[in-house]
Each structure stands twice: as structure tokens, then as C-alpha cells.
Amino acid sequence: MARKIFILLIDGGDPQYFEHAEVPNFRRIGASGFWVTGSCVIPSVTNVNNASVMTASFPRDHGITGNFCYDPATGDGTYMESADFLARETLFQRAKRLGMSTALFTSKIKLKKLLERDADIAVAGEDPPTEFVAKVGPKCEIYSLEVNWWVLEAARIVMREQDPDLVYVSTTDYIMHKFPPEHEMAQRHLQGLDQIIGRIADEQPHRELYITADHGMSAKHRAINLSAKLAKAGIQALFVPVIKDKYVVHHDNLGGVGYLYLHDPSSLGEAIGALKAIPGVEEVYRRETAAERFGLMADRIGDLFVLGAPEVVFGDVEGEEQRIDIRSHGSHHEGAIPIIGSVARVPAHDYRYNLDIARHLQLA
């Protein structure tokens, strides 16, 4: 029998959400194979980790270092939403060489654009094809819990009707941004995914099922404008939030990490000193050190990489600092994620990162 593989990446799927929700089908999959708490890739944002899982590699190899890319040479920036940014082949490309059929289902359009190369089927719940609306149901608002149910159900239907060999599904984290794990809406969202996963497990008994997340989620109460803080110290710098994307309702482009581009490179040492003196700035790394420490592609990050304390986000806010009440991610404080599989192809303790799911698939 041809090998059948299914990977579900739950955007914002912090382990705490699984602890609070009734998810019997996720648990039976884990019981048949493995369930560990592992780590995502830092920065803990969507594009970085989807690319890492789909290429079984770190950003130093695949090139996606954030949701947004700034070019200091031109002063221009662009969202990292095109497959042209990927510097390494994806699971779909490997699968096609082996003669396998492939299917991609994402809630967000941006991930469809990033990952769809060599996918025989590629569907975004945010803008679904007419034929899928007829099969699955009406288009759902991207800022809803229903869109994730829709996209997973679409994958289930395609697996039942067309049986593609490799299926990858990625959801959106709107619900996790808006509701903590103990909230009824958060539990309802995950329980809905669990029910569909149960149907997939029953209908596809020979398919390898893997579930993980791209990052966790934390409550944030302080927003710091690092450019304004540095300007007060006489240092001019542009701050680019790694989390920056078009889905601002989620997080207002406020995240726990970011890149700083200095107008005057000679101010590097002075900038590091000024940043370390700011309460809430937890870690500061020079470009080369950050690339080595976190496995980043050095020419796609800033002069400095800054990480915040658990309750802190960075971004463009009025003044130097504001009190806020949001849920967001980006730093290593949102690094813990579940890694679940119906089949353990290696010992469970070897699944340390979310990308290890793809690495241990052993698709040549």
C-alpha cells in the first residue's frame, strides 16, 4: 500500500489549550504513537515555523526569518508570503520526486502562497474555490473559529474522495489571540478540531497522522516602542516586528521579538547598552550572534535581534510605551508546542522541534 501522510499544524496551539479542552481524538492518536511537548523555531511566528516544518530545516537554510522582510539597502519592505523567498525545497517537492500526490489546505491566503509549490491541490479557507464551497459549505470569516473547522473538513473530504498521499493543513490563530485556554470559545474551537480529526482517524486508518503547532501564546501587558526609546538616547534605528503581517486584528503587529536596523552602524555598541537598560528587554543579540544562536539567515535579519520579557511586546505604539491587554507571541516564552503522532518513526524523545515531524518522515 502506498504511504499516506497527514500533517496538521495548529496555529497558536499552545500546550495549555490541550490541557483545558476535551480532546479525546487527539489523545487517542498520541496514545497509539507519541505525544511530547517540544519547541518551535524562534522567532515563534507563523511563517518561520510553517516554513521550518515544510522544509524540515531552520531559517538559516530555508530563508524565512519573519512574516515581513525589510531591505535596508532600498528602504523597502515586503511580506514574506511568496514561495520565491524559500531557499530550500519543501515536503511537497520531495514527495513529487517520489511520485506522490500532494494537497495543501490553509486558513490564511498568505500560507497558501508561501507553501503551494508542487501541491496538486491548494486551498485557502480565506478565499476558497467555488467547488469547495459547494462541498464543504459557505466561506467563513478569517477572524472566526469556523474557518479552521472549514479548512480541516475540506482536507477530510479530499482525503476521502481523492486520497492524496501527502496532506498538509495549517490553521489560523485568531481564537488563541483573543481567548485564553480556559475560555469557553478556546475550548469550543479545539473540540471542533478534535471531532474532525476523529473522523479523519476513523476514515483513514492506514494514514500516518501528525499534529503540532507553530508557536504558543502569552498574555501581554506592556508595549514598548524601541525606536522611540533609542531616539531618546540619540540613536536612530528602524524597528521591524517579526510578527508583522496583514492580519492586524490578531495582534496589532505587536510581538515579543523584532529586528533593529541602525542608521549608523558605528552606534551598535551604544545601542546594545541602551537596549539592555530598558526594563522589559530581556535579550539583545548582534546579527551574527543571533544567526548562530537561533539558526537564522544572517542577511535577512537586522543589525540587532531583541527579545522581550514574558509580558512585553514591541512595535509601533504612540510614545515610548503603552499599557495594553492582548495575547501575542514571537519570543521563546511562546516556544513550547505539542508534537503528536499516530506513528513514532523514531523514539519519542527525538521529536524535539516541530520540524522533526518532517525530518523523521524520511522522504528522500
Side-chain angles (χ1 to χ4, degrees):
M1 178 179 292
R3 191 173 174 193
K4 302 293 180 179
I5 301 166
F6 169 86
I7 301 172
L8 169 62
L9 186 145
I10 300 177
D11 194 353
D14 193 293
Q16 293 184 59
Y17 286 97
F18 290 83
E19 293 172 8
H20 283 79
E22 293 293 330
V23 286
N25 294 301
F26 284 122
R27 298 203 182 282
R28 71 171 162 123
I29 290 170
S32 71
F34 66 95
W35 184 322
V36 299
T37 297
S39 299
C40 71
V41 174
I42 305 299
S44 55
V45 296
T46 296
N47 291 20
V48 171
N49 279 272
N50 272 272
S52 294
V53 172
M54 278 295 283
T55 64
S57 67
F58 286 89
R60 70 164 69 92
D61 298 312
H62 62 66
I64 306 300
T65 53
N67 294 342
F68 186 86
C69 182
Y70 173 72
D71 184 353
T74 64
D76 295 327
T78 185
Y79 296 103
M80 299 186 87
E81 299 179 2
S82 167
D84 293 337
F85 281 108
L86 285 169
R88 188 157 177 153
E89 68 177 2
T90 67
L91 285 178
F92 288 151
Q93 292 171 292
R94 295 186 200 179
K96 295 306 290 184
R97 286 205 311 271
L98 298 173
M100 299 173 71
S101 55
T102 58
L104 170 69
F105 298 87
T106 69
S107 294
K108 297 173 182 174
I109 290 174
K110 73 169 186 175
L111 288 174
K112 175 179 175 292
K113 293 177 180 178
L114 181 65
L115 304 174
E116 66 184 345
R117 186 171 287 165
D118 276 350
D120 296 318
I121 299 168
V123 176
E126 186 177 358
D127 185 25
T130 302
E131 61 268 29
F132 277 86
V133 171
K135 288 185 177 183
V136 185
K139 169 185 173 182
C140 300
E141 168 62 40
I142 190 62
Y143 300 117
S144 70
L145 55 78
E146 289 84 5
V147 69
N148 288 342
W149 298 343
W150 190 99
V151 78
L152 188 55
E153 178 67 8
R156 184 188 71 83
I157 291 172
V158 166
M159 283 188 284
R160 185 186 65 197
E161 296 181 350
Q162 300 183 43
D163 200 28
D165 300 316
L166 173 62
V167 179
Y168 183 84
V169 179
S170 182
T171 66
T172 177
D173 58 355
Y174 171 73
I175 292 300
M176 285 77 158
H177 273 287
K178 297 304 176 184
F179 303 104
E182 63 273 13
H183 196 282
E184 184 274 335
M185 283 289 285
Q187 295 177 28
R188 183 182 168 213
H189 167 252
L190 200 56
Q191 287 163 0
L193 294 179
D194 181 79
Q195 290 170 10
I196 303 171
I197 281 291
R199 290 197 286 273
I200 291 172
D202 292 340
E203 294 170 358
Q204 303 276 317
H206 302 296
R207 189 176 289 270
E208 300 171 39
L209 306 179
Y210 301 98
I211 301 102
T212 189
D214 54 351
H215 55 76
M217 194 72 67
S218 298
K220 307 292 184 178
H221 303 296
R222 294 178 58 208
I224 300 173
N225 185 332
L226 292 178
S227 294
K229 291 279 192 183
L230 289 178
K232 188 175 181 180
I235 303 167
Q236 299 301 311
L238 173 71
F239 179 76
V240 176
V242 174
I243 203 171
K244 180 180 174 70
D245 67 10
K246 300 171 185 175
Y247 301 89
V248 294
V249 173
H250 286 53
H251 45 60
D252 295 328
N253 283 335
L254 298 172
V257 298
Y259 301 126
L260 273 164
Y261 296 83
L262 301 175
H263 290 198
D264 179 6
S266 68
S267 66
L268 187 66
E270 185 182 359
I272 292 173
L275 289 166
K276 287 184 175 180
I278 300 172
V281 171
E282 195 167 78
E283 299 176 36
V284 182
Y285 296 92
R286 297 170 185 258
R287 173 188 284 115
E288 295 77 12
T289 306
E292 176 65 24
R293 169 74 174 78
F294 299 103
L296 302 172
M297 186 174 282
D299 60 0
R300 290 188 179 180
I301 65 176
D303 300 303
L304 294 170
F305 183 45
V306 186
L307 296 95
E311 78 283 1
V312 169
V313 286
F314 305 120
D316 185 16
V317 295
E318 187 175 347
E320 296 180 25
E321 185 171 335
Q322 284 186 6
R323 292 293 298 176
I324 58 169
D325 186 15
I326 67 171
R327 296 177 58 77
S328 193
H329 53 93
S331 76
H332 54 74
H333 297 294
E334 295 80 44
I337 48 90
I339 309 175
I340 307 166
S342 63
V343 177
R345 301 189 65 82
V346 296
H349 59 74
D350 284 339
Y351 290 94
R352 297 183 297 127
Y353 289 93
N354 50 13
L355 62 86
D356 285 333
I357 284 177
R359 187 163 65 89
H360 294 315
L361 287 177
Q362 301 170 349
L363 293 182

